[in-house]
Amino acid sequence: MARQNSSLTWVFFLILVLALAVFGVGVLLAAQARGWEMLAAGGIAVVLVLGLWALSLSVQNAHQHALRRLEDAVSPVHERLQQISVLLNLISEQQLISERAKSVAFREKDLEAIRRAVREDIARQDWEAALVLVSDIETAFGYRQEAQRLREEIEGYRSEQVRREVDNAVALIDRYCREEQWNQAWREAERLGRLFPDDPQVQGLPRDIEARRQGFKKHLLDSWQEAVAAHDVDGSIEILKKLDLYLTPSEAESMQDTARRVFKDKMQSLGQQFTLAVKNRQWAEAVQIGETLIRDFPNALMSREVAARLPLLRQRMNEPQAAGV
């Protein structure tokens, strides 16, 4: 602003010098009676220059005064803005610190929440979900050792649960085998195989069941041979009924002759018992033996003969004398 005022002063000074020069020339011309025009022009120029210079100085003074007033008015605002700027910077720094503190606090809360969720998944035996959360602990929070420890713990719980379930199923399969419920035993083994396909004990269950089945079959065959050798007709038939579930077609064919002989002996034994009961007038017993004979040997000639006699035997069985009245 000072340089601008100095420039204006020099401009007006030069113009004033020129106006005075014109005025001086006008004075000389007027003194020589050569005309008053130059003198008038010079006088007017001097007056205009002085007037404009004075006006310019007045405007400059007013402008400077206004600037000083504006500076006086703006200075407190500027200082206040500087104070506000400093305060905002301080608040920003504190906010940043607060956000970091919150982040640390929330990080701890999130970590504790994940740890609780892992425990809940373990309690529910949801091993896959628990392992996913453990991976979050490692990747999101960087706790590799804790994640590894939790994985080992989860694997231990899972192995224990698998072993307990396998042991219970094996006990059930053992009961099925002892009760000769082989189909149920195989179905249970298949179920375990779908649940735990990599477990060695589970993989061997079908083989173990078949081995026990074959062992039981061998025991029945040995008992059959012993009963036949001892002429235990009833025992032989009972064993043969059980063997029917185990024999292959070729094995059954090889036993047909012996089985026919056993059943023939059984039929003859029933026939003898029937005859003896009729002879002793034991009508109820005779009817019971006759019905058994007909049921077990429906196509035999002896059965047809007994069936023809049963109506009379039932009639006698129902007579008062037969009842001992």
Side-chain angles (χ1 to χ4, degrees):
M1 181 63 68
R3 293 180 61 184
Q4 185 178 4
N5 292 338
S6 177
S7 298
L8 288 175
T9 300
W10 277 104
V11 170
F12 279 109
F13 179 75
L14 292 176
I15 295 174
L16 180 60
V17 170
L18 291 175
L20 289 174
V22 172
F23 182 77
V25 172
V27 171
L28 291 176
L29 292 176
Q32 296 175 3
R34 295 174 63 180
W36 296 90
E37 293 82 0
M38 184 65 71
L39 178 62
I44 293 171
V46 171
V47 172
L48 286 175
V49 170
L50 291 175
L52 290 174
W53 196 353
L55 180 61
S56 175
L57 291 175
S58 177
V59 171
Q60 289 179 1
N61 290 332
H63 179 65
Q64 291 177 355
H65 181 68
L67 286 177
R68 283 194 298 271
R69 291 181 60 187
L70 181 61
E71 289 178 356
D72 292 340
V74 171
S75 179
V77 176
H78 180 67
E79 292 178 358
R80 186 60 178 169
L81 288 176
Q82 287 182 337
Q83 294 175 357
I84 292 174
S85 177
V86 173
L87 183 60
L88 288 175
N89 290 334
L90 180 60
I91 292 174
S92 177
E93 293 177 357
Q94 292 178 347
Q95 183 68 21
L96 181 60
I97 295 174
S98 177
E99 290 297 330
R100 290 177 179 174
K102 288 180 181 179
S103 176
V104 172
F106 288 148
R107 178 185 175 89
E108 291 297 327
K109 290 182 179 180
D110 291 343
L111 181 58
E112 287 301 323
I114 293 178
R115 286 169 176 163
R116 287 195 301 270
V118 169
R119 295 299 175 187
E120 292 173 359
D121 288 338
I122 291 176
R124 291 195 303 267
Q125 298 180 358
D126 191 350
W127 315 118
E128 298 301 328
L131 289 174
V132 170
L133 292 176
V134 169
S135 297
D136 290 341
I137 291 177
E138 180 178 8
T139 57
F141 297 92
Y143 291 100
R144 295 183 179 179
Q145 293 182 351
E146 181 178 359
Q148 183 61 30
R149 179 180 58 79
L150 287 173
R151 287 192 184 97
E152 294 174 356
E153 185 176 348
I154 291 170
E155 186 60 32
Y157 282 122
R158 177 161 61 178
S159 298
E160 180 181 353
Q161 186 266 337
V162 169
R163 185 50 45 204
R164 184 166 54 251
E165 187 168 349
V166 169
D167 290 343
N168 292 337
V170 168
L172 180 61
I173 290 173
D174 178 69
R175 180 169 65 84
Y176 285 147
C177 291
R178 284 186 282 104
E179 296 174 356
E180 301 179 63
Q181 299 180 19
W182 307 110
N183 290 333
Q184 289 87 333
W186 271 315
R187 280 197 293 269
E188 184 65 17
E190 290 174 357
R191 185 186 71 83
L192 278 182
R194 290 191 298 269
L195 291 176
F196 314 110
D198 299 327
D199 189 277
Q201 184 178 7
V202 172
Q203 292 174 352
L205 283 176
R207 182 177 61 254
D208 295 340
I209 294 172
E210 181 59 24
R212 293 185 66 173
R213 181 178 177 277
Q214 292 298 326
F216 197 82
K217 174 183 175 181
K218 183 178 183 304
H219 172 71
L220 288 176
L221 288 172
D222 293 341
S223 299
W224 158 261
Q225 296 294 340
E226 292 174 0
V228 170
H231 301 287
D232 183 0
V233 176
D234 292 335
S236 300
I237 292 176
E238 290 300 320
I239 294 172
L240 191 60
K241 290 178 180 178
K242 293 182 178 180
L243 270 173
D244 187 54
L245 301 174
Y246 298 88
L247 296 176
T248 64
S250 59
E251 290 173 337
E253 185 177 0
S254 66
M255 296 174 60
Q256 282 184 357
D257 293 339
T258 305
R260 288 194 188 98
R261 186 171 65 252
V262 169
F263 280 111
K264 183 178 179 181
D265 292 343
K266 176 64 175 178
M267 184 177 64
Q268 291 176 349
S269 175
L270 288 174
Q272 292 173 359
Q273 294 175 28
F274 177 79
T275 301
L276 183 61
V278 172
K279 182 178 180 180
N280 294 330
R281 305 175 68 84
Q282 297 174 346
W283 314 121
E285 184 177 353
V287 169
Q288 181 180 3
I289 295 172
E291 291 175 346
T292 302
L293 182 62
I294 294 171
R295 183 187 67 244
D296 293 345
F297 305 98
N299 298 322
L301 176 61
M302 184 183 297
S303 297
R304 291 195 294 271
E305 293 175 352
V306 170
R309 299 179 63 182
L310 281 182
L312 179 59
L313 294 176
R314 291 192 181 97
Q315 181 180 354
R316 291 182 177 180
M317 180 181 66
N318 294 325
E319 290 177 354
Q321 294 83 355
V325 178

Short mmCIF file of all heavy atoms in Angstrom, two decimals, residues 162 166 211 218 288 310:
data_model
loop_
_atom_site.label_atom_id
_atom_site.label_comp_id
_atom_site.label_asym_id
_atom_site.label_seq_id
_atom_site.Cartn_x
_atom_site.Cartn_y
_atom_site.Cartn_z
N VAL A 162 -16.12 -89.00 19.40
CA VAL A 162 -16.18 -90.06 18.39
C VAL A 162 -15.95 -91.42 19.03
O VAL A 162 -16.67 -92.38 18.75
CB VAL A 162 -15.12 -89.80 17.28
CG1 VAL A 162 -14.98 -91.02 16.38
CG2 VAL A 162 -15.52 -88.59 16.45
N VAL A 166 -18.57 -94.39 19.06
CA VAL A 166 -18.18 -95.66 18.44
C VAL A 166 -18.31 -96.79 19.46
O VAL A 166 -18.82 -97.88 19.14
CB VAL A 166 -16.75 -95.58 17.88
CG1 VAL A 166 -16.25 -96.96 17.48
CG2 VAL A 166 -16.72 -94.64 16.68
N ALA A 211 -17.42 -112.32 10.69
CA ALA A 211 -16.64 -113.36 11.37
C ALA A 211 -17.45 -113.97 12.52
O ALA A 211 -17.45 -115.20 12.71
CB ALA A 211 -15.33 -112.77 11.89
N LYS A 218 -20.84 -121.97 12.51
CA LYS A 218 -20.03 -123.17 12.76
C LYS A 218 -20.47 -123.85 14.06
O LYS A 218 -20.54 -125.09 14.14
CB LYS A 218 -18.55 -122.79 12.84
CG LYS A 218 -17.62 -123.98 13.02
CD LYS A 218 -16.18 -123.54 13.05
CE LYS A 218 -15.24 -124.75 13.15
NZ LYS A 218 -15.53 -125.59 14.32
N GLN A 288 -53.92 -133.10 20.93
CA GLN A 288 -52.81 -132.14 20.86
C GLN A 288 -51.67 -132.69 20.01
O GLN A 288 -51.11 -131.98 19.16
CB GLN A 288 -52.32 -131.82 22.27
CG GLN A 288 -51.18 -130.80 22.31
CD GLN A 288 -50.72 -130.52 23.72
OE1 GLN A 288 -51.22 -131.13 24.68
NE2 GLN A 288 -49.76 -129.62 23.85
N LEU A 310 -59.33 -137.25 14.21
CA LEU A 310 -59.43 -136.17 15.20
C LEU A 310 -60.87 -135.80 15.57
O LEU A 310 -61.14 -135.54 16.76
CB LEU A 310 -58.68 -134.92 14.69
CG LEU A 310 -57.16 -134.94 14.84
CD1 LEU A 310 -56.56 -133.63 14.34
CD2 LEU A 310 -56.76 -135.18 16.28
#
